[in-house]
Protein backbone atom coordinates (compact mmCIF):
# COMPACT_ATOMS: atom_id res chain seq x y z
CA UNK A 1 0.00 0.00 0.00
CA UNK A 2 1.38 3.47 -0.85
CA UNK A 3 2.18 5.95 1.92
CA UNK A 4 -1.00 7.34 3.44
CA UNK A 5 -2.15 10.63 1.96
CA UNK A 6 -2.51 12.10 5.41
CA UNK A 7 -1.89 10.74 8.88
CA UNK A 8 -1.91 11.67 12.51
CA UNK A 9 1.36 10.67 14.15
CA UNK A 10 1.02 10.17 17.92
CA UNK A 11 -1.27 13.16 18.23
CA UNK A 12 -2.46 14.40 21.61
CA UNK A 13 -4.63 17.46 22.08
CA UNK A 14 -5.05 19.14 25.41
CA UNK A 15 -7.43 22.10 25.44
CA UNK A 16 -6.48 25.25 27.36
CA UNK A 17 -8.84 24.18 30.18
CA UNK A 18 -6.65 21.12 30.69
CA UNK A 19 -8.99 18.58 29.06
CA UNK A 20 -7.18 15.87 27.11
CA UNK A 21 -9.45 15.40 24.07
CA UNK A 22 -7.03 13.22 22.06
CA UNK A 23 -4.56 10.90 23.72
CA UNK A 24 -1.75 9.62 21.53
CA UNK A 25 -3.77 8.88 18.39
CA UNK A 26 -2.05 7.55 15.27
CA UNK A 27 -4.28 7.12 12.26
CA UNK A 28 -3.81 7.02 8.50
CA UNK A 29 -6.13 8.06 5.66
CA UNK A 30 -5.43 6.56 2.24
CA UNK A 31 -6.10 7.84 -1.24
CA UNK A 32 -9.06 6.07 -2.81
CA UNK A 33 -10.68 5.13 0.50
CA UNK A 34 -13.68 6.32 2.45
CA UNK A 35 -12.77 6.17 6.14
CA UNK A 36 -15.52 6.49 8.77
CA UNK A 37 -14.83 8.00 12.18
CA UNK A 38 -17.20 6.68 14.83
CA UNK A 39 -17.57 7.32 18.53
CA UNK A 40 -19.85 8.64 21.23
CA UNK A 41 -20.40 12.33 21.83
CA UNK A 42 -17.22 13.76 23.24
CA UNK A 43 -15.00 10.94 21.95
CA UNK A 44 -12.76 13.41 20.10
CA UNK A 45 -13.96 13.11 16.49
CA UNK A 46 -14.39 16.85 15.87
CA UNK A 47 -11.10 17.57 17.58
CA UNK A 48 -9.38 15.11 15.24
CA UNK A 49 -10.98 16.63 12.13
CA UNK A 50 -10.17 20.13 13.33
CA UNK A 51 -6.51 19.18 13.76
CA UNK A 52 -6.36 17.88 10.18
CA UNK A 53 -8.08 21.05 8.99
CA UNK A 54 -5.82 23.44 10.92
CA UNK A 55 -8.50 24.73 13.30
CA UNK A 56 -6.53 23.33 16.24
CA UNK A 57 -2.87 22.44 16.54
CA UNK A 58 -1.83 19.21 18.27
CA UNK A 59 -0.32 19.58 21.73
CA UNK A 60 1.94 16.65 20.94
CA UNK A 61 2.65 14.67 17.80
CA UNK A 62 2.14 15.85 14.26
CA UNK A 63 0.35 15.57 10.95
CA UNK A 64 2.09 13.93 7.99
CA UNK A 65 1.12 14.23 4.35
CA UNK A 66 2.62 11.53 2.13
CA UNK A 67 5.13 10.86 4.84
CA UNK A 68 6.23 14.45 5.39
CA UNK A 69 5.39 16.52 8.42
CA UNK A 70 3.09 19.49 7.75
CA UNK A 71 2.04 22.21 10.16
CA UNK A 72 -1.50 23.56 9.85
CA UNK A 73 -1.80 26.63 12.01
CA UNK A 74 -5.06 27.72 10.40
CA UNK A 75 -7.52 26.31 7.87
CA UNK A 76 -5.85 28.33 5.09
CA UNK A 77 -2.70 26.21 5.62
CA UNK A 78 -4.70 22.99 5.34
CA UNK A 79 -6.56 24.23 2.26
CA UNK A 80 -3.23 25.12 0.66
CA UNK A 81 -2.20 21.48 1.24
CA UNK A 82 -5.29 20.23 -0.56
CA UNK A 83 -7.60 19.55 2.36
CA UNK A 84 -11.30 20.41 2.14
CA UNK A 85 -13.88 20.21 4.89
CA UNK A 86 -17.68 20.07 4.96
CA UNK A 87 -19.02 21.28 8.29
CA UNK A 88 -22.28 20.23 9.86
CA UNK A 89 -23.61 23.75 9.63
CA UNK A 90 -23.33 24.92 6.08
CA UNK A 91 -21.29 28.01 5.34
CA UNK A 92 -23.08 28.98 2.17
CA UNK A 93 -24.26 32.37 1.00
CA UNK A 94 -27.91 31.53 0.49
CA UNK A 95 -28.89 34.33 -1.92
CA UNK A 96 -25.92 33.53 -4.19
CA UNK A 97 -25.96 30.99 -7.01
CA UNK A 98 -24.06 27.71 -7.00
CA UNK A 99 -21.35 29.23 -9.19
CA UNK A 100 -21.05 32.34 -7.03
CA UNK A 101 -20.62 30.21 -3.91
CA UNK A 102 -17.88 28.20 -5.61
CA UNK A 103 -16.19 31.36 -6.89
CA UNK A 104 -15.98 32.73 -3.35
CA UNK A 105 -13.46 30.07 -2.37
CA UNK A 106 -11.89 29.16 -5.73
CA UNK A 107 -8.34 30.26 -6.40
CA UNK A 108 -6.37 31.22 -9.50
CA UNK A 109 -7.20 29.52 -12.76
CA UNK A 110 -10.12 27.62 -11.26
CA UNK A 111 -11.73 30.89 -10.31
CA UNK A 112 -11.34 32.22 -13.83
CA UNK A 113 -12.78 28.98 -15.25
CA UNK A 114 -15.87 29.37 -13.09
CA UNK A 115 -16.89 32.30 -15.27
CA UNK A 116 -17.78 29.78 -18.00
CA UNK A 117 -20.93 27.81 -17.19
CA UNK A 118 -19.72 24.90 -19.33
CA UNK A 119 -16.59 24.62 -17.16
CA UNK A 120 -18.67 24.74 -13.99
CA UNK A 121 -20.79 21.89 -15.32
CA UNK A 122 -17.71 19.92 -16.32
CA UNK A 123 -16.21 20.40 -12.85
CA UNK A 124 -19.42 19.17 -11.22
CA UNK A 125 -19.89 16.28 -13.60
CA UNK A 126 -16.38 15.13 -12.83
CA UNK A 127 -17.80 14.28 -9.40
CA UNK A 128 -21.10 13.01 -10.72
CA UNK A 129 -23.02 16.00 -9.40
CA UNK A 130 -25.80 17.40 -11.54
CA UNK A 131 -26.72 20.88 -10.45
CA UNK A 132 -27.78 24.02 -12.27
CA UNK A 133 -24.80 26.38 -11.85
CA UNK A 134 -27.23 29.33 -11.90
CA UNK A 135 -29.52 27.95 -9.17
CA UNK A 136 -29.83 30.12 -6.08
CA UNK A 137 -28.43 28.03 -3.24
CA UNK A 138 -31.10 29.10 -0.75
CA UNK A 139 -33.74 27.59 -3.05
CA UNK A 140 -32.09 24.17 -3.17
CA UNK A 141 -33.13 21.32 -0.87
CA UNK A 142 -30.72 20.58 1.99
CA UNK A 143 -29.22 17.53 0.30
CA UNK A 144 -28.21 19.64 -2.70
CA UNK A 145 -26.97 22.50 -0.55
CA UNK A 146 -24.72 19.88 1.01
CA UNK A 147 -23.53 18.92 -2.47
CA UNK A 148 -22.54 22.56 -3.03
CA UNK A 149 -20.56 22.45 0.22
CA UNK A 150 -18.79 19.32 -1.01
CA UNK A 151 -17.96 20.98 -4.33
CA UNK A 152 -16.66 24.03 -2.45
CA UNK A 153 -14.39 21.77 -0.42
CA UNK A 154 -13.08 20.23 -3.66
CA UNK A 155 -12.94 23.29 -5.87
CA UNK A 156 -9.21 23.82 -5.38
CA UNK A 157 -8.48 20.19 -6.29
CA UNK A 158 -8.39 18.88 -2.74
CA UNK A 159 -6.93 15.44 -2.19
CA UNK A 160 -8.40 15.04 1.28
CA UNK A 161 -12.10 15.58 1.95
CA UNK A 162 -13.33 15.74 5.56
CA UNK A 163 -17.06 15.59 6.32
CA UNK A 164 -18.52 16.17 9.79
CA UNK A 165 -21.75 14.17 10.25
CA UNK A 166 -23.03 14.71 6.71
CA UNK A 167 -25.75 12.07 6.92
CA UNK A 168 -27.58 13.25 10.04
CA UNK A 169 -29.81 15.63 8.09
CA UNK A 170 -30.41 13.30 5.14
CA UNK A 171 -33.11 10.77 4.33
CA UNK A 172 -31.97 7.20 3.56
CA UNK A 173 -32.34 7.79 -0.19
CA UNK A 174 -30.29 10.96 0.11
CA UNK A 175 -27.65 9.08 2.08
CA UNK A 176 -27.37 6.59 -0.81
CA UNK A 177 -26.88 9.52 -3.20
CA UNK A 178 -24.33 11.16 -0.92
CA UNK A 179 -22.20 8.01 -0.90
CA UNK A 180 -22.56 7.64 -4.66
CA UNK A 181 -20.96 11.10 -4.88
CA UNK A 182 -18.32 10.24 -2.27
CA UNK A 183 -17.40 7.11 -4.22
CA UNK A 184 -16.83 9.21 -7.33
CA UNK A 185 -14.63 11.52 -5.30
CA UNK A 186 -12.76 8.58 -3.77
CA UNK A 187 -12.24 7.00 -7.17
CA UNK A 188 -10.44 10.12 -8.32
CA UNK A 189 -7.77 9.40 -5.73
CA UNK A 190 -9.10 11.47 -2.85
CA UNK A 191 -8.95 10.34 0.77
CA UNK A 192 -12.43 10.80 2.24
CA UNK A 193 -13.01 10.91 6.02
CA UNK A 194 -16.59 10.91 7.31
CA UNK A 195 -17.78 11.38 10.88
CA UNK A 196 -21.01 9.47 11.39
CA UNK A 197 -23.00 7.66 14.06
CA UNK A 198 -24.84 5.42 11.66
CA UNK A 199 -23.36 1.94 11.84
CA UNK A 200 -25.46 0.55 8.98
CA UNK A 201 -24.32 3.34 6.71
CA UNK A 202 -20.71 2.55 7.58
CA UNK A 203 -21.17 -1.14 6.86
CA UNK A 204 -22.83 -0.41 3.52
CA UNK A 205 -20.62 2.34 2.15
CA UNK A 206 -17.13 2.71 3.55
CA UNK A 207 -13.87 0.80 3.28
CA UNK A 208 -12.28 1.53 6.64
CA UNK A 209 -13.37 2.61 10.09
CA UNK A 210 -11.89 3.97 13.26
CA UNK A 211 -13.73 4.13 16.56
CA UNK A 212 -12.64 6.80 19.00
CA UNK A 213 -13.40 6.45 22.67
CA UNK A 214 -12.49 9.08 25.24
CA UNK A 215 -9.77 10.46 23.02
CA UNK A 216 -8.18 7.11 22.14
CA UNK A 217 -8.50 4.71 19.26
CA UNK A 218 -10.78 1.83 20.22
CA UNK A 219 -10.47 -0.20 17.06
CA UNK A 220 -9.59 0.56 13.47
CA UNK A 221 -9.52 -1.56 10.36
CA UNK A 222 -11.24 -2.64 7.20
CA UNK A 223 -15.01 -2.84 7.22
CA UNK A 224 -14.90 -6.18 5.44
CA UNK A 225 -15.34 -8.79 8.16
CA UNK A 226 -16.78 -6.37 10.70
CA UNK A 227 -20.33 -6.60 12.05
CA UNK A 228 -22.79 -4.07 13.42
CA UNK A 229 -22.58 -5.71 16.85
CA UNK A 230 -18.80 -5.38 16.82
CA UNK A 231 -18.92 -1.69 15.91
CA UNK A 232 -21.63 -0.92 18.47
CA UNK A 233 -19.63 -2.71 21.16
CA UNK A 234 -16.56 -0.66 20.29
CA UNK A 235 -18.56 2.57 20.35
CA UNK A 236 -20.64 2.17 23.51
CA UNK A 237 -19.39 -0.95 25.22
CA UNK A 238 -17.12 -0.78 28.22
CA UNK A 239 -17.00 -2.10 31.74
CA UNK A 240 -20.10 -0.44 33.16
CA UNK A 241 -19.03 1.52 36.18
CA UNK A 242 -22.25 1.34 38.12
CA UNK A 243 -25.60 -0.25 37.34
CA UNK A 244 -27.25 0.47 40.66
CA UNK A 245 -30.79 1.76 40.28
CA UNK A 246 -31.32 5.41 41.21
CA UNK A 247 -34.69 5.77 42.97
CA UNK A 248 -37.52 3.24 42.87
CA UNK A 249 -39.19 1.99 39.70
CA UNK A 250 -42.51 3.77 39.14
CA UNK A 251 -45.89 2.63 37.93
CA UNK A 252 -47.08 5.14 35.39
CA UNK A 253 -50.34 6.94 36.17
CA UNK A 254 -52.80 8.73 33.92
CA UNK A 255 -51.69 10.20 30.62
CA UNK A 256 -50.70 13.86 30.89
CA UNK A 257 -49.30 14.85 27.57
CA UNK A 258 -48.97 13.30 24.15
CA UNK A 259 -47.03 14.08 21.01
CA UNK A 260 -49.04 12.66 18.14
CA UNK A 261 -47.38 12.38 14.73
CA UNK A 262 -45.24 15.41 15.44
CA UNK A 263 -42.89 16.58 12.69
CA UNK A 264 -40.53 19.47 12.13
CA UNK A 265 -38.61 20.15 8.94
CA UNK A 266 -34.90 19.30 8.81
CA UNK A 267 -32.43 22.16 8.57
CA UNK A 268 -28.68 22.49 8.23
CA UNK A 269 -27.32 20.84 11.36
CA UNK A 270 -30.63 19.26 12.40
CA UNK A 271 -32.59 16.29 11.11
CA UNK A 272 -35.87 17.82 12.33
CA UNK A 273 -38.48 15.48 13.79
CA UNK A 274 -40.48 12.86 11.94
CA UNK A 275 -43.84 11.50 13.07
CA UNK A 276 -42.90 11.37 16.71
CA UNK A 277 -45.48 9.65 18.91
CA UNK A 278 -44.82 9.85 22.62
CA UNK A 279 -47.26 9.64 25.51
CA UNK A 280 -46.17 10.90 28.94
CA UNK A 281 -47.83 9.77 32.15
CA UNK A 282 -48.02 10.92 35.73
CA UNK A 283 -45.33 9.63 38.04
CA UNK A 284 -42.90 8.17 35.52
CA UNK A 285 -39.35 8.92 34.45
CA UNK A 286 -39.02 8.75 30.68
CA UNK A 287 -35.49 8.74 29.33
CA UNK A 288 -34.80 10.01 25.82
CA UNK A 289 -31.53 8.53 24.59
CA UNK A 290 -29.68 9.51 21.44
CA UNK A 291 -26.58 10.92 19.92
CA UNK A 292 -26.71 14.69 20.24
CA UNK A 293 -28.16 16.54 17.29
CA UNK A 294 -30.77 13.91 16.43
CA UNK A 295 -33.81 16.01 17.29
CA UNK A 296 -33.33 16.41 21.04
CA UNK A 297 -33.34 20.20 20.99
CA UNK A 298 -36.51 20.21 18.90
CA UNK A 299 -38.18 17.74 21.27
CA UNK A 300 -37.22 19.86 24.27
CA UNK A 301 -38.61 22.99 22.67
CA UNK A 302 -41.88 21.26 21.74
CA UNK A 303 -42.39 19.88 25.24
CA UNK A 304 -41.51 23.28 26.66
CA UNK A 305 -44.15 24.90 24.48
CA UNK A 306 -41.47 27.14 22.95
CA UNK A 307 -42.15 25.80 19.50
CA UNK A 308 -45.11 24.42 17.60
CA UNK A 309 -45.05 21.33 15.43
CA UNK A 310 -45.25 21.80 11.67
CA UNK A 311 -47.31 18.61 11.48
CA UNK A 312 -49.03 16.60 14.20
CA UNK A 313 -50.16 17.72 17.62
CA UNK A 314 -48.88 18.30 21.14
CA UNK A 315 -51.87 17.38 23.30
CA UNK A 316 -52.47 17.91 27.00
CA UNK A 317 -54.83 15.53 28.75
CA UNK A 318 -57.13 17.17 31.25
CA UNK A 319 -56.13 20.63 32.42
CA UNK A 320 -53.17 22.09 30.63
CA UNK A 321 -49.97 20.92 32.27
CA UNK A 322 -47.43 23.21 33.78
CA UNK A 323 -43.98 22.40 32.45
CA UNK A 324 -40.77 23.20 34.33
CA UNK A 325 -37.48 23.11 32.45
CA UNK A 326 -33.86 22.34 33.13
CA UNK A 327 -32.16 23.56 29.95
CA UNK A 328 -29.04 22.10 28.44
CA UNK A 329 -26.99 25.27 28.72
CA UNK A 330 -27.10 26.17 32.38
CA UNK A 331 -24.72 29.08 32.04
CA UNK A 332 -26.77 30.99 29.52
CA UNK A 333 -30.33 29.78 29.80
CA UNK A 334 -30.39 28.23 33.26
CA UNK A 335 -28.72 30.85 35.42
CA UNK A 336 -27.95 34.51 35.71
CA UNK A 337 -24.41 34.02 36.89
CA UNK A 338 -24.08 37.49 38.39
CA UNK A 339 -27.28 37.23 40.41
CA UNK A 340 -27.19 35.64 43.82
CA UNK A 341 -27.94 32.01 44.55
CA UNK A 342 -31.18 33.14 46.25
CA UNK A 343 -32.30 35.27 43.31
CA UNK A 344 -31.58 32.44 40.90
CA UNK A 345 -33.49 29.94 43.04
CA UNK A 346 -36.57 32.16 43.26
CA UNK A 347 -36.30 33.90 39.92
CA UNK A 348 -39.64 32.77 38.41
CA UNK A 349 -41.50 33.57 41.62
CA UNK A 350 -39.89 36.98 41.93
CA UNK A 351 -40.76 37.71 38.30
CA UNK A 352 -44.37 36.77 38.99
CA UNK A 353 -44.49 39.36 41.76
CA UNK A 354 -44.14 37.01 44.69
CA UNK A 355 -41.71 38.16 47.40
CA UNK A 356 -42.66 41.78 46.95
CA UNK A 357 -43.81 44.03 49.78
CA UNK A 358 -45.22 47.45 49.10
CA UNK A 359 -43.65 47.33 45.66
CA UNK A 360 -40.21 46.41 46.93
CA UNK A 361 -38.36 43.10 47.01
CA UNK A 362 -38.76 41.37 50.35
CA UNK A 363 -35.16 40.31 50.81
CA UNK A 364 -35.80 38.72 54.20
CA UNK A 365 -38.47 36.43 52.82
CA UNK A 366 -36.29 35.64 49.78
CA UNK A 367 -33.32 34.80 51.99
CA UNK A 368 -35.39 32.59 54.27
CA UNK A 369 -37.00 30.62 51.46
CA UNK A 370 -33.66 30.31 49.66
CA UNK A 371 -32.04 28.95 52.84
CA UNK A 372 -34.67 26.22 52.99
CA UNK A 373 -34.12 25.31 49.33
CA UNK A 374 -30.34 25.34 49.75
CA UNK A 375 -30.62 22.94 52.66
CA UNK A 376 -33.06 20.64 50.88
CA UNK A 377 -31.06 20.44 47.65
CA UNK A 378 -27.72 20.32 49.49
CA UNK A 379 -26.34 23.28 47.52
CA UNK A 380 -22.84 24.08 48.73
CA UNK A 381 -22.59 27.84 48.82
CA UNK A 382 -20.95 30.31 51.15
CA UNK A 383 -24.25 32.16 51.50
CA UNK A 384 -27.55 32.64 49.66
CA UNK A 385 -26.22 36.06 48.67
CA UNK A 386 -23.16 34.66 46.87
CA UNK A 387 -23.21 35.11 43.10
CA UNK A 388 -24.16 31.92 41.25
CA UNK A 389 -20.88 32.30 39.36
CA UNK A 390 -18.92 31.48 42.52
CA UNK A 391 -20.38 27.95 42.80
CA UNK A 392 -19.03 24.74 41.28
CA UNK A 393 -20.79 23.37 38.19
CA UNK A 394 -22.52 20.69 40.23
CA UNK A 395 -23.90 23.18 42.71
CA UNK A 396 -24.99 25.51 39.91
CA UNK A 397 -26.93 22.63 38.39
CA UNK A 398 -28.53 21.87 41.75
CA UNK A 399 -29.84 25.46 41.73
CA UNK A 400 -31.43 25.01 38.31
CA UNK A 401 -33.00 21.69 39.31
CA UNK A 402 -34.22 22.98 42.69
CA UNK A 403 -35.84 25.96 40.98
CA UNK A 404 -37.59 23.70 38.47
CA UNK A 405 -38.85 21.52 41.33
CA UNK A 406 -40.11 24.54 43.26
CA UNK A 407 -42.45 25.31 40.39
CA UNK A 408 -44.47 22.22 41.41
CA UNK A 409 -45.11 21.64 37.71
CA UNK A 410 -46.89 18.52 36.49
CA UNK A 411 -44.17 17.88 33.89
CA UNK A 412 -40.43 18.47 34.27
CA UNK A 413 -38.23 18.28 31.18
CA UNK A 414 -34.49 18.15 31.75
CA UNK A 415 -31.83 18.24 29.05
CA UNK A 416 -28.36 16.76 29.68
CA UNK A 417 -28.81 17.26 33.43
CA UNK A 418 -25.49 15.80 34.53
CA UNK A 419 -23.10 17.02 31.86
CA UNK A 420 -19.86 18.17 33.38
CA UNK A 421 -20.86 17.14 36.92
CA UNK A 422 -18.82 14.90 39.18
CA UNK A 423 -20.26 11.54 40.20
CA UNK A 424 -21.69 12.72 43.52
CA UNK A 425 -23.35 15.82 42.09
CA UNK A 426 -24.77 13.85 39.15
CA UNK A 427 -26.23 11.28 41.53
CA UNK A 428 -27.81 14.00 43.67
CA UNK A 429 -29.45 15.61 40.63
CA UNK A 430 -30.81 12.28 39.32
CA UNK A 431 -32.07 11.30 42.78
CA UNK A 432 -33.95 14.57 43.02
CA UNK A 433 -35.63 13.85 39.67
CA UNK A 434 -36.56 10.31 40.74
CA UNK A 435 -38.11 11.67 43.94
CA UNK A 436 -40.21 14.11 41.94
CA UNK A 437 -41.65 11.18 39.97
CA UNK A 438 -42.42 9.38 43.28
CA UNK A 439 -44.64 12.35 44.05
CA UNK A 440 -46.48 12.09 40.72
CA UNK A 441 -44.48 14.45 38.52
CA UNK A 442 -43.86 13.41 34.92
CA UNK A 443 -40.10 13.55 34.42
CA UNK A 444 -38.52 13.54 30.96
CA UNK A 445 -34.72 13.24 30.86
CA UNK A 446 -33.05 13.91 27.52
CA UNK A 447 -29.49 12.64 27.69
CA UNK A 448 -26.74 11.05 25.63
CA UNK A 449 -25.52 9.21 28.73
CA UNK A 450 -27.04 5.74 28.24
CA UNK A 451 -25.87 4.37 31.56
CA UNK A 452 -27.48 7.04 33.65
CA UNK A 453 -30.72 6.75 31.69
CA UNK A 454 -30.86 3.01 32.40
CA UNK A 455 -30.27 3.67 36.09
CA UNK A 456 -32.92 6.33 36.59
CA UNK A 457 -35.62 5.87 33.92
CA UNK A 458 -38.70 3.67 33.94
CA UNK A 459 -38.61 3.44 30.17
CA UNK A 460 -36.29 4.75 27.50
CA UNK A 461 -37.10 5.91 24.00
CA UNK A 462 -34.32 6.36 21.46
CA UNK A 463 -34.21 9.37 19.16
CA UNK A 464 -32.26 8.82 15.94
CA UNK A 465 -32.43 11.04 12.89
CA UNK A 466 -35.44 12.84 14.36
CA UNK A 467 -37.40 9.61 14.76
CA UNK A 468 -38.11 7.40 17.71
CA UNK A 469 -36.39 4.20 16.65
CA UNK A 470 -37.34 2.15 19.67
CA UNK A 471 -38.54 1.98 23.24
CA UNK A 472 -37.24 -0.25 26.02
CA UNK A 473 -38.28 -0.66 29.62
CA UNK A 474 -35.36 0.17 31.87
CA UNK A 475 -35.50 -3.39 33.21
CA UNK A 476 -34.86 -4.79 29.71
CA UNK A 477 -32.48 -2.09 28.51
CA UNK A 478 -28.80 -2.66 27.96
CA UNK A 479 -26.17 -0.21 26.82
CA UNK A 480 -25.70 -2.36 23.70
CA UNK A 481 -29.41 -2.49 22.81
CA UNK A 482 -29.79 1.27 23.16
CA UNK A 483 -26.51 1.83 21.34
CA UNK A 484 -27.83 -0.23 18.43
CA UNK A 485 -31.03 1.84 18.23
CA UNK A 486 -28.92 5.01 18.32
CA UNK A 487 -26.79 3.87 15.37
CA UNK A 488 -29.44 2.22 13.15
CA UNK A 489 -30.33 3.36 9.69
CA UNK A 490 -33.72 4.97 10.00
CA UNK A 491 -36.77 4.23 7.90
CA UNK A 492 -37.58 6.58 5.06
CA UNK A 493 -39.18 9.88 5.98
CA UNK A 494 -42.61 9.02 4.64
CA UNK A 495 -44.57 12.00 5.80
CA UNK A 496 -44.75 15.04 3.55
CA UNK A 497 -44.24 18.11 5.65
CA UNK A 498 -47.06 20.40 4.72
CA UNK A 499 -47.01 23.83 6.30
CA UNK A 500 -49.73 24.15 8.93
CA UNK A 501 -51.69 27.26 9.70
CA UNK A 502 -50.24 29.08 12.65
P1 LIG B 1 -16.88 14.52 19.39
O1 LIG B 1 -16.74 15.27 18.10
O2 LIG B 1 -16.43 13.09 19.30
O3 LIG B 1 -18.26 14.64 19.98
P2 LIG B 1 -15.14 16.57 20.44
O4 LIG B 1 -13.86 16.43 19.69
O5 LIG B 1 -16.06 17.65 20.04
O6 LIG B 1 -15.88 15.18 20.47
O7 LIG B 1 -14.83 16.79 21.98
C1 LIG B 1 -13.98 15.92 22.72
C2 LIG B 1 -13.91 16.42 24.14
O8 LIG B 1 -13.17 17.64 24.18
C3 LIG B 1 -15.25 16.71 24.76
O9 LIG B 1 -15.23 16.27 26.10
C4 LIG B 1 -15.36 18.20 24.69
O10 LIG B 1 -16.13 18.70 25.77
C5 LIG B 1 -13.92 18.66 24.80
N1 LIG B 1 -13.71 19.91 24.06
C6 LIG B 1 -13.99 20.14 22.76
N2 LIG B 1 -13.61 21.39 22.40
C7 LIG B 1 -13.10 21.96 23.52
C8 LIG B 1 -12.53 23.25 23.81
N3 LIG B 1 -12.41 24.20 22.87
N4 LIG B 1 -12.11 23.47 25.06
C9 LIG B 1 -12.21 22.50 26.00
N5 LIG B 1 -12.71 21.29 25.80
C10 LIG B 1 -13.16 21.00 24.58
Amino acid sequence: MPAPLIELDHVSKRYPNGFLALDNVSLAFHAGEIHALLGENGAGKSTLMNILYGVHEPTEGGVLMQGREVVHRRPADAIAHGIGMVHQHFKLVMPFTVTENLALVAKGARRAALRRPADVRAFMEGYGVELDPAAVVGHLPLALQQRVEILKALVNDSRVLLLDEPSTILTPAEIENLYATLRRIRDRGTAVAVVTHNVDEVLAHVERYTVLKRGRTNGTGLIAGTTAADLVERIVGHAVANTERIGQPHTAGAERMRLAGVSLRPSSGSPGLHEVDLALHAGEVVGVAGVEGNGQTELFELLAGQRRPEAGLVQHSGPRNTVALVPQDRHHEGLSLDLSVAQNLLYPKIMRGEYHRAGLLDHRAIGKQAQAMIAEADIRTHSPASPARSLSGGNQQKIVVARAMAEAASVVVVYQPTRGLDVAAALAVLQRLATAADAGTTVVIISSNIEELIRVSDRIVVLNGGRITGELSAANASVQAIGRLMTLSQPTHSMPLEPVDA
Side-chain angles (χ1 to χ4, degrees):
M1 186 173 284
L5 206 42
I6 189 162
E7 57 192 307
L8 296 172
D9 181 23
H10 298 283
V11 164
S12 294
K13 173 65 188 176
R14 193 180 288 283
Y15 282 109
N17 66 358
F19 189 82
L20 188 62
L22 289 179
D23 184 4
N24 194 18
V25 171
S26 294
L27 194 56
F29 300 90
H30 295 273
E33 269 190 8
I34 305 177
H35 190 144
L37 284 175
L38 296 146
E40 289 181 297
N41 295 130
K45 305 179 298 293
S46 303
T47 302
L48 192 157
M49 297 282 250
N50 282 329
I51 283 178
L52 294 173
Y53 197 55
V55 177
H56 297 311
E57 279 191 77
T59 316
E60 279 173 56
V63 176
L64 308 180
M65 289 192 77
Q66 292 178 303
R68 287 208 205 146
E69 175 138 19
V70 291
V71 177
H72 296 157
R73 293 224 157 77
R74 53 189 75 83
D77 299 339
I79 292 166
H81 281 127
I83 299 171
M85 178 149 178
V86 175
H87 298 272
Q88 250 184 307
H89 288 272
F90 300 161
K91 298 177 186 235
L92 296 165
V93 184
M94 293 298 171
F96 281 19
T97 65
V98 172
T99 303
E100 287 164 344
N101 271 282
L102 296 177
L104 281 177
V105 294
K107 295 191 165 52
R110 179 51 59 73
R111 184 171 194 153
L114 288 174
R115 296 210 188 89
R116 295 181 292 274
D119 286 359
V120 181
R121 280 220 170 76
F123 165 67
M124 297 199 295
E125 278 163 15
Y127 295 110
V129 178
E130 281 179 33
L131 267 177
D132 176 4
V136 171
V137 162
H139 295 166
L140 295 173
L142 280 179
L144 294 184
Q145 290 182 1
Q146 186 180 63
R147 220 59 113 244
V148 180
E149 281 285 22
I150 292 174
L151 292 168
K152 264 176 63 190
L154 295 169
V155 76
N156 296 312
D157 297 315
S158 304
R159 294 170 300 158
V160 178
L161 177 65
L162 312 171
L163 301 107
D164 193 5
E165 294 196 37
S167 60
T168 312
I169 57 166
L170 301 179
T171 64
E174 289 167 346
I175 292 174
E176 295 286 320
N177 290 334
L178 168 69
Y179 279 95
T181 301
L182 295 183
R183 278 193 287 275
R184 292 286 286 262
I185 295 166
R186 167 199 76 187
D187 289 345
R188 295 184 52 163
T190 306
V192 179
V194 187
V195 171
T196 177
H197 294 284
N198 187 322
V199 161
D200 298 295
E201 168 191 320
V202 170
L203 291 171
H205 295 296
V206 317
E207 280 80 43
R208 201 179 283 274
Y209 74 93
T210 296
V211 177
L212 287 180
K213 191 160 194 78
R214 297 197 195 105
R216 295 187 183 189
T217 312
N218 191 35
T220 181
L222 290 170
I223 278 295
T226 310
T227 62
D230 178 41
L231 289 178
V232 171
E233 181 63 29
R234 288 180 192 282
I235 295 167
V236 300
H238 55 99
V240 174
N242 191 344
T243 55
E244 199 183 329
R245 170 100 204 151
I246 299 170
Q248 298 303 312
H250 303 95
T251 311
E255 181 175 309
R256 283 230 165 103
M257 215 172 155
R258 173 183 285 271
L259 304 189
V262 162
S263 298
L264 287 172
R265 251 180 224 91
S267 62
S268 161
S270 160
L273 288 177
H274 302 278
E275 299 165 316
V276 168
D277 291 313
L278 180 63
L280 303 173
H281 304 87
E284 65 171 345
V285 179
V286 179
V288 180
V291 174
E292 269 169 66
N294 274 272
Q296 289 91 336
T297 301
E298 290 79 358
L299 181 68
F300 181 86
E301 290 169 352
L302 284 167
L303 292 171
Q306 296 167 348
R307 196 163 170 185
R308 298 177 58 166
E310 289 161 10
L313 292 170
V314 178
Q315 297 166 324
H316 291 260
S317 319
R320 195 178 174 83
N321 292 290
T322 46
V323 181
L325 304 172
V326 175
Q328 160 164 248
D329 182 349
R330 61 180 163 265
H331 282 165
H332 291 105
E333 295 178 296
L335 292 168
S336 289
L337 289 172
D338 293 321
L339 293 184
S340 69
V341 171
Q343 285 163 331
N344 272 289
L345 279 168
L346 293 167
Y347 191 80
K349 293 183 193 294
I350 294 170
M351 291 308 281
R352 284 197 297 264
E354 296 173 39
Y355 299 100
H356 285 67
R357 263 171 61 155
L360 302 175
L361 281 180
D362 184 348
H363 285 290
R364 264 190 65 178
I366 291 172
K368 201 168 154 216
Q369 179 59 25
Q371 274 296 7
M373 291 169 79
I374 288 167
E376 204 223 325
D378 190 25
I379 298 167
R380 310 285 165 85
T381 176
H382 182 62
S383 113
S386 303
R389 187 184 296 286
S390 66
L391 272 62
S392 71
N395 285 296
Q396 289 175 346
Q397 185 69 323
K398 287 183 196 167
I399 297 178
V400 182
V401 172
R403 183 179 62 211
M405 295 306 163
E407 289 294 289
S410 48
V411 179
V412 176
V413 186
V414 303
Y415 194 172
Q416 300 285 15
T418 63
R419 164 154 317 153
L421 305 193
D422 63 41
V423 174
L427 184 62
V429 163
L430 295 173
Q431 270 164 344
R432 186 69 192 83
L433 295 169
T435 311
D438 296 344
T441 307
T442 305
V443 178
V444 180
I445 306 181
I446 302 172
S447 170
S448 49
N449 184 331
I450 307 176
E451 264 175 45
E452 86 182 14
L453 286 180
I454 293 176
R455 291 180 64 198
V456 73
S457 307
D458 297 302
R459 60 193 172 101
I460 297 164
V461 297
V462 179
L463 204 53
N464 173 350
R467 291 177 172 274
I468 291 183
T469 48
E471 173 172 337
L472 294 162
S473 72
N476 294 323
S478 67
V479 170
Q480 281 73 12
I482 295 176
R484 185 72 191 105
L485 291 168
M486 286 165 60
T487 59
L488 274 181
S489 277
Q490 322 115 49
T492 314
H493 301 172
S494 51
M495 181 164 195
L497 271 177
E498 298 297 337
V500 289
D501 296 331

